[in-house]
Amino acid sequence: MILDDFLVRAALGGTGVALAAAPLGCFVVWRRMAYFGDATAHAAILGVALSLVLSTSLFAGVLTVSLLMALAVSVLSGRGYAMDTLLGVMAHSALAFGLVAVSFVSGVRIDLMGYLVGDILAVSRTDLAIIWGGALLVLALLAYRWSALLTATLNPDLAHAAGLDPKREQLVLTLCLAMVVAVAIKVVGVLLIAALLIIPAATARPFSRTPERMALVAAAIGILSANGGLAAAYRLDTPTGPTIVCLATLLFLAASLVGHHRGRAAASRAPSPR
């Protein structure tokens, strides 16, 4: 069977995560929610500990805790604390409590580094089913609410006028974010999930004139980063999750240089004022 090859399973897992993270990452960039995604991802370690203690599915534990973290941030925001302060406190607290909770789990061998930076080479068939099931669900939900999400993101007042509830759309994004964190933990780990959300979307921005094009370009960049990083890590014998993010960062730098060059060229072609 072709899925018996661990590199094929790793490539399929990385591709599934990239497909789910790319369009969601565009909304994270547009809404300036980068730290929000980071806080949700950090809570995943606490979900890992709880799933081990309760002997439940890792996916279910991480999804539940990530969703609770995202909802808690949404509820507490605007209640006397600046958003960046609140997210900073909750992100680092969740990670610290998760690491402490993991240390109390006895009788189970835990690969903590695998959860922190990912272990894509250990993706199993069951993991693939979870990754692709979650990715397809996220894509379906985003496609179903795409127009409403865009309107609520670009102009909340216009969303209200159109009969939309921006808070409901925020909850849709929260649910999608928690699900992406849950499926991505095996591939890039909790410390790098936010990078896989943000960097491909930021890289696609200079090459996109429409939101839909930005989502598609971000997906292509994410898939290239996942598979290119996997190949580079295999050849160079480096950690796979960080290598994927490193390649995504190099693509972002290249895109920034191209965008800067295009801007200067356009400025030089513009007619000078008389």
Side-chain angles (χ1 to χ4, degrees), residues 24 34-35 45 56 64 67 84 107 111 121 135 166 177 181 183 185-186 198 203 213 217 221 226-227 254 270:
L24 182 60
Y35 215 174
I45 283 292
T56 60
T64 300
L67 185 58
D84 59 342
D111 180 12
L121 297 179
L177 186 60
V181 168
V183 300
I185 187 171
K186 191 81 171 184
I198 298 164
T203 306
R213 180 178 175 84
V217 175
I221 292 170
N227 289 278

Side-chain angles (χ1 to χ4, degrees), residues 3-249:
L3 291 183
D4 289 337
D5 190 335
F6 72 97
L7 285 177
V8 174
R9 292 196 301 271
L12 289 173
T15 299
V17 169
L19 282 175
L24 182 60
C26 293
F27 284 102
V28 171
V29 170
W30 294 330
R31 287 174 171 255
R32 299 180 180 180
M33 291 170 57
Y35 215 174
F36 185 89
D38 211 27
T40 307
H42 279 53
I45 283 292
L46 185 56
V48 169
L50 291 178
S51 65
L52 292 174
V53 170
L54 301 175
S55 299
T56 60
S57 164
L58 178 65
F59 174 78
V62 172
L63 177 61
T64 300
V65 173
S66 298
L67 185 58
L68 289 175
M69 168 64 80
L71 290 174
V73 172
S74 297
V75 170
L76 293 175
S77 61
R79 298 197 175 186
Y81 295 98
M83 178 62 81
D84 59 342
T85 301
L86 182 64
L87 289 173
V89 170
M90 297 193 73
H92 300 298
S93 299
L95 181 60
F97 276 108
L99 292 173
V100 171
V102 165
S103 70
F104 284 109
V105 178
S106 60
V108 180
R109 185 180 177 184
I110 302 172
D111 180 12
L112 191 56
M113 284 302 295
Y115 292 124
L116 291 176
V117 299
D119 190 8
I120 190 174
L121 297 179
V123 168
S124 65
R125 293 187 182 186
T126 302
D127 293 328
L128 275 182
I130 292 173
I131 289 171
W132 276 93
L136 292 175
L137 187 57
V138 168
L139 290 174
L141 189 55
L142 289 178
Y144 175 64
R145 303 299 304 170
W146 183 263
S147 179
L149 285 168
L150 271 181
T151 304
T153 297
L154 299 176
N155 193 328
D157 293 333
L158 180 60
H160 278 297
L164 300 172
D165 184 358
K167 289 186 177 180
R168 181 183 61 194
E169 306 310 322
Q170 173 74 26
L171 287 176
V172 171
L173 287 178
T174 297
L175 175 60
C176 291
L177 186 60
M179 196 166 300
V180 167
V181 168
V183 300
I185 187 171
K186 191 81 171 184
V187 175
V188 290
V190 299
L191 298 181
L192 304 174
I193 290 172
L196 201 60
L197 278 167
I198 298 164
I199 297 176
T203 306
R205 201 166 194 170
F207 307 102
S208 308
R209 293 183 179 273
T210 65
E212 292 78 12
R213 180 178 175 84
M214 182 170 165
L216 291 174
V217 175
I221 292 170
I223 292 171
L224 176 61
S225 301
N227 289 278
L230 174 62
Y234 184 74
R235 287 179 173 272
L236 301 175
D237 193 24
T238 54
T240 311
T243 305
I244 290 173
V245 176
C246 286
L247 179 56
T249 303

